[in-house]
Amino acid sequence: MSTLSGEKNGQIAFAVGLLAGSIATYLLTSKNKTITNAPKASTARNDAASTQSMPDEIRSEMLSRNNLYFESSNGMPDITNACVLVVGLGGVGSHTAHMLARSGVKYLRLVDFDQVTLSSLNRHAVATLKDVGLPKVTVLCNHLRQICPDESRLVLDPVVKMYTGDRERDGTMMDPPDGLEKWDIVIDAIDDVPTKANLISYCAKRDIRVISCMGAGGKADPTRVHISDLRSASRDPLATAVRQRLRMLAKKEAKESGEKITNGSGVTSGGWISCVDDDSKLAVVFSSEKVVAKLAAISDEQKEEGMHNFGAVDNMRVRVLPVVGTMPAIMGQTLAAMALCELGGKPFSPVGAERVGRNIRHKLYQHLRSREKKLEDKLTPTLKEGSDNYTTDGTYIGAIQIDPDDVEYLMAELWKNKCAISGSRLGTVLELYRWDMSKPATPNNLVLMCVKSAQKFEKDFVELGDGRKGVDEVTRARIEKRLTMCVLDAEEE
């Protein structure tokens, strides 16, 4: 009987869904004429004649699954009012822009100078054979307008132009929409080193959040895709080249201004170049897979006539990259996922590419436990009268409130396997230390430090009464912001 009832309910649900879809189609097609031939002008500006208003109930149903996901953070209003700039609409950027539009982002400025080619069709998100020869911007806008024909809900701002980093040549390309101080997020899907570095430096200098994609060519393993800061992007030739380019730009500026850009250990410590080590400013999507396919060979014709005669644009690469279409799509969707979760108030903390062995995790846990026990034994005589945990100077003493399994999360996800103060990485000795000594050793009060930073921190605690006082303001603010992102609850030992 229950089986028959379930089948009947399923049939009813199917019928209701079918009816709702029919009503939605009727409302949209009867409201205005259906879009048939989308504009093919090189600017691809929104054509008022081909747009429609969309009833609230239809739009609400389109975004219902997203609403459920962001319900706890009440994040959908932020997404549906967000303004995002996407630079580069090839295999990566087209997938990113496509998903941002489907997910409700209100304003998208789409920048690309290139046209769809036959070879683009193995990886572009929406291009078809009939689109070959059209600007990628035009093709994407035409498709997105069919998904959401209402200009008041999806504003498309296409720019068929190459970003260069030169204000005179770029014009107002980087300017946010009227009334906004800066973009909510900039997506970098450029595959050319100089322009990629120019875009990143431009945003870093203006404190604009950037999510950037590194190389997708010659790779295919989806399990090797990671999100990290730029310095952590390993086995990625594009990431290496971009780091070098950014450092060169920063050195040039530092030389002109007489400033230092490192703390002596090679790690950036101030100014816009610090974005290389700070994934809250610049997050990068990269693959740690070793490139398994070579660039296409130079043809006899190219050798004879000169390579410089074959580039579509001056200073752009000429040799063809081998690309399995799945990798750009995966990386483009990864960019979109990170952007949406940040916009919607549910940011995630990506797992680092470097894994930490169980023995190392256990050792860190035991070292923390032993260190806290010694401190407790030393300070117990100074406990406040009537208190079991607080000394007369406000220091908390007591059992640590994490378990061994928490150590991997703290190391790999929260602190990315590097010293929170100096940026030193695996290869040096790292330990977990309590950040605020007036609070217990909970997951959101433990910071990963190298030996040198830890020694100074402990010395400052003794001499200044608070180890944090010896940490510069910028680093301290970054660490404390990171601690607020900890998702683990404290556990009494």
Side-chain angles (χ1 to χ4, degrees):
M1 187 70 178
S2 61
T3 303
L4 291 174
S5 175
E7 291 178 352
K8 185 176 180 181
N9 290 338
Q11 292 171 353
I12 293 173
F14 174 77
V16 170
L18 187 63
L19 179 60
S22 301
I23 293 172
T25 302
Y26 172 76
L27 286 171
L28 285 173
T29 54
S30 62
K31 191 84 176 176
N32 285 296
K33 292 182 179 181
T34 304
I35 300 175
T36 53
N37 297 316
K40 294 185 178 180
S42 61
T43 56
R45 290 288 171 186
N46 295 316
D47 186 350
S50 65
T51 61
Q52 311 167 25
S53 60
M54 181 179 289
D56 291 341
E57 59 271 23
I58 301 301
R59 186 59 169 170
S60 178
E61 181 61 24
M62 287 174 67
L63 300 177
S64 59
R65 303 303 174 91
N66 292 60
N67 269 308
L68 285 172
Y69 183 82
F70 291 105
E71 187 174 29
S72 61
S73 63
N74 193 29
M76 275 308 293
D78 292 322
I79 292 175
T80 55
N81 284 293
C83 294
V84 178
L85 169 64
V86 183
V87 185
L89 299 175
V92 174
S94 62
H95 282 276
T96 305
H98 183 204
M99 190 49 61
L100 292 176
R102 282 191 179 276
S103 301
V105 170
K106 182 173 184 177
Y107 190 108
L108 287 172
R109 180 171 296 166
L110 307 174
V111 178
D112 200 305
F113 71 95
D114 208 359
Q115 297 176 336
V116 174
T117 63
L118 285 170
S119 65
S120 303
L121 300 184
N122 85 318
R123 59 194 182 279
H124 197 276
V126 303
T128 63
L129 192 60
K130 69 178 182 180
D131 298 317
V132 172
L134 293 177
K136 292 177 180 178
V137 169
T138 304
V139 171
L140 188 57
C141 285
N142 291 345
H143 183 84
L144 299 183
R145 186 53 73 206
Q146 292 180 60
I147 296 171
C148 181
D150 191 334
E151 279 190 356
S152 67
R153 301 179 191 272
L154 174 60
V155 179
L156 298 174
D157 183 5
V159 180
V160 185
K161 195 173 181 179
M162 179 180 179
Y163 172 76
T164 65
D166 184 327
R167 176 71 184 189
E168 291 186 4
R169 295 172 64 184
D170 295 337
T172 59
M173 181 191 300
M174 296 300 297
D175 294 349
D178 292 342
L180 287 183
E181 182 180 345
K182 63 182 181 180
W183 295 96
D184 292 313
I185 286 178
V186 170
I187 301 293
D188 162 35
I190 301 171
D191 60 2
D192 173 65
V193 174
T195 50
K196 195 175 192 73
N198 287 343
L199 178 63
I200 291 172
S201 64
Y202 175 92
C203 294
K205 292 172 185 176
R206 292 160 179 80
D207 195 29
I208 301 172
R209 174 62 164 150
V210 186
I211 307 178
S212 176
C213 186
M214 296 296 116
K219 302 185 178 188
D221 186 353
T223 67
R224 302 293 185 91
V225 175
H226 312 281
I227 304 174
S228 73
D229 58 76
L230 181 57
R231 193 180 296 278
S232 299
S234 59
R235 293 188 177 180
D236 190 306
L238 180 58
T240 300
V242 171
R243 281 196 299 269
Q244 292 172 346
R245 181 78 178 187
L246 288 172
R247 189 172 178 82
M248 183 190 74
L249 293 174
K251 278 187 173 181
K252 182 180 178 181
E253 292 181 12
K255 186 176 181 180
E256 293 173 352
S257 62
E259 298 177 354
K260 291 183 179 180
I261 65 167
T262 71
N263 62 7
S265 64
V267 177
T268 53
S269 62
W272 66 265
I273 189 61
S274 64
C275 69
V276 172
D277 294 285
D278 189 349
D279 62 0
S280 68
K281 297 179 180 178
L282 168 64
V284 302
V285 175
F286 74 100
S287 169
S288 61
E289 180 185 8
K290 186 177 179 180
V291 175
V292 295
K294 298 179 180 180
L295 294 172
I298 301 172
S299 68
D300 292 337
E301 182 186 6
Q302 289 174 324
K303 292 178 182 177
E304 183 178 340
E305 297 190 24
M307 293 291 288
H308 62 280
N309 293 318
F310 287 85
V313 176
D314 289 343
N315 301 319
M316 293 289 282
R317 60 177 168 80
V318 176
R319 296 179 66 186
V320 177
L321 285 168
V323 181
V324 176
T326 52
M327 185 55 73
I330 290 168
M331 297 179 88
Q333 295 288 351
T334 303
L335 291 171
M338 189 166 199
L340 288 168
C341 287
E342 288 189 7
L343 291 170
K346 291 186 74 170
F348 50 79
S349 183
V351 176
E354 302 160 317
R355 297 301 303 274
V356 181
R358 183 172 60 180
N359 290 341
I360 294 177
R361 299 197 304 269
H362 181 71
K363 187 180 292 185
L364 258 71
Y365 175 78
Q366 292 298 337
H367 286 181
L368 172 64
R369 185 179 180 182
S370 175
R371 197 165 51 249
E372 288 291 327
K373 184 67 172 66
K374 288 181 180 177
L375 181 66
E376 181 179 2
D377 292 342
K378 178 181 178 180
L379 297 183
T380 295
T382 65
L383 283 172
K384 281 184 180 179
E385 185 177 351
S387 174
D388 293 330
N389 298 109
Y390 288 95
T391 65
T392 53
D393 66 356
T395 300
Y396 178 94
I397 57 174
I400 63 174
Q401 297 180 25
I402 66 168
D403 61 38
D405 291 336
D406 295 336
V407 174
E408 182 173 16
Y409 167 81
L410 292 172
M411 289 191 71
E413 296 191 41
L414 192 63
W415 299 112
K416 310 299 183 185
N417 298 322
K418 62 182 180 180
C419 174
I421 295 176
S422 71
S424 300
R425 298 169 181 277
L426 288 177
T428 186
V429 177
L430 297 170
E431 298 284 357
L432 286 168
Y433 280 81
R434 213 164 10 132
W435 181 246
D436 184 347
M437 298 299 287
S438 68
K439 297 178 181 179
T442 55
N444 62 356
N445 191 34
L446 289 172
V447 173
L448 195 64
M449 300 184 195
C450 65
V451 173
K452 185 177 179 180
S453 295
Q455 289 175 342
K456 183 179 184 304
F457 188 80
E458 289 190 316
K459 181 180 178 182
D460 290 338
F461 171 68
V462 174
E463 295 180 355
L464 305 176
D466 188 341
R468 297 172 298 176
K469 291 181 178 180
V471 180
D472 68 86
E473 292 183 5
V474 174
T475 302
R476 180 171 175 172
R478 174 172 52 78
I479 290 173
E480 292 178 350
K481 180 180 179 181
R482 195 76 187 170
L483 286 169
T484 63
M485 298 175 65
C486 181
V487 299
L488 293 181
D489 295 323
E491 294 190 16
E492 286 287 354
E493 184 174 298

